[in-house]
Amino acid sequence: QSVLTQPPSVSGAPGQRVTISCTGSSSNIGAGYDVHWYQQLPGTAPKLLIYGNSNRPSGVPDRFSGSKSATSASLAITGLQAEDEADYYCQSYDSSLSGWVFGGGTKLTVL
Amino acid sequence: EVQLVESGGGLVQPGGSLRLSCAASGFTFSSYDMHWVRQATGKGLEWVSAIGAAGDTYYPGSVKGRFTISRENAKNSLYLQMNSLRAEDTAVYYCARFDTSSWYSKWGQGNLVTVSS
């Protein structure tokens, strides 16, 4: 069981909007620690997608956006494209564990 | 261009040891915290160890006392010494640059470690 909870899978048709949730607790997201998101394409290393809850690194399309509130965070992808099909992970810090934690990952399928 | 290249993985018997290396280039290695993150086949990401720019180290309970992270700034290199390996340590191990004490900005390509008899 991951400390941060994500849905195992989401799907959407090309052009649609999808969201991926990341639910934590008072010892991580709720404690004020930032949430970051990674995209992992099949057979490759993870890549930073969103940092500091809602910031996009250079080169990441503005179709990707992040938000955070209370004890949860969300990743939204608009104008879905076939190349977005990947696994997505949220990450934060947990003060009870004194360590960095990930969500279990969400597999995005583009129909 | 920032590059992280892992090496040293392979097959090891339960109870054995292995040392992973990560060669960094394209940035001022000594200024950054560095982490190891692993991923078992078909599973999610798991933080394995961290070392600060000042050399302070951190581990989760699952590897504490068995794994040791270290760095050699003169060689722009990060290491992970893994002892008393178990079947559940089987995974792809990634080295990652850690920015602003919060997120992983760059990842290596990963190195497979298989613990099996």
Side-chain angles (χ1 to χ4, degrees), chain A residues 44-90:
Chain A
T44 69
K47 168 193 156 187
L48 180 66
L49 197 63
I50 297 287
Y51 67 94
N53 306 315
S54 59
N55 301 291
R56 279 178 288 106
S58 172
V60 173
D62 59 6
R63 301 186 296 104
F64 295 90
S65 63
S67 63
K68 173 192 166 186
S69 65
T71 58
S72 67
S74 288
L75 172 70
I77 309 172
T78 59
L80 211 53
Q81 298 180 5
E83 67 213 46
D84 298 333
E85 193 159 282
D87 293 325
Y88 293 83
Y89 294 90
C90 60

Side-chain angles (χ1 to χ4, degrees), chain A residues 36 38 40 45-46 89 91 100, chain B residues 39 47 94 98 102 104 107-108:
Chain A
H36 320 289
Y38 303 88
Q40 186 175 33
Y89 294 90
Q91 174 252 316
W100 292 271
Chain B
Q39 184 174 36
W47 167 64
Y94 296 99
F98 199 59
S102 195
Y104 300 99
W107 298 70

Side-chain angles (χ1 to χ4, degrees), chain B residues 43-114:
Chain B
K43 303 295 184 183
L45 301 169
E46 180 188 15
W47 167 64
V48 172
S49 60
I51 186 165
D56 44 316
T57 59
Y58 308 88
Y59 306 91
S62 58
V63 307
K64 200 166 189 175
R66 301 189 299 123
F67 289 12
T68 301
I69 188 173
S70 62
R71 65 192 300 161
E72 193 168 355
N73 290 336
K75 292 187 175 181
N76 289 337
S77 293
L78 177 72
Y79 306 102
L80 184 67
Q81 177 66 43
M82 302 184 292
N83 298 331
S84 303
L85 282 161
R86 307 166 180 166
E88 54 264 37
D89 295 319
T90 295
V92 172
Y93 285 72
Y94 296 99
C95 68
R97 192 180 81 176
F98 199 59
D99 282 31
T100 321
S101 301
S102 195
W103 65 84
Y104 300 99
S105 58
K106 298 293 180 184
W107 298 70
Q109 85 284 357
N111 203 223
L112 178 62
V113 171
T114 303

Side-chain angles (χ1 to χ4, degrees), chain A residues 9-32:
Chain A
S9 64
V10 297
S11 62
Q16 284 190 332
R17 178 182 186 269
V18 296
T19 62
I20 299 172
S21 61
C22 175
T23 302
S25 66
S26 58
S27 62
N28 41 69
I29 300 175

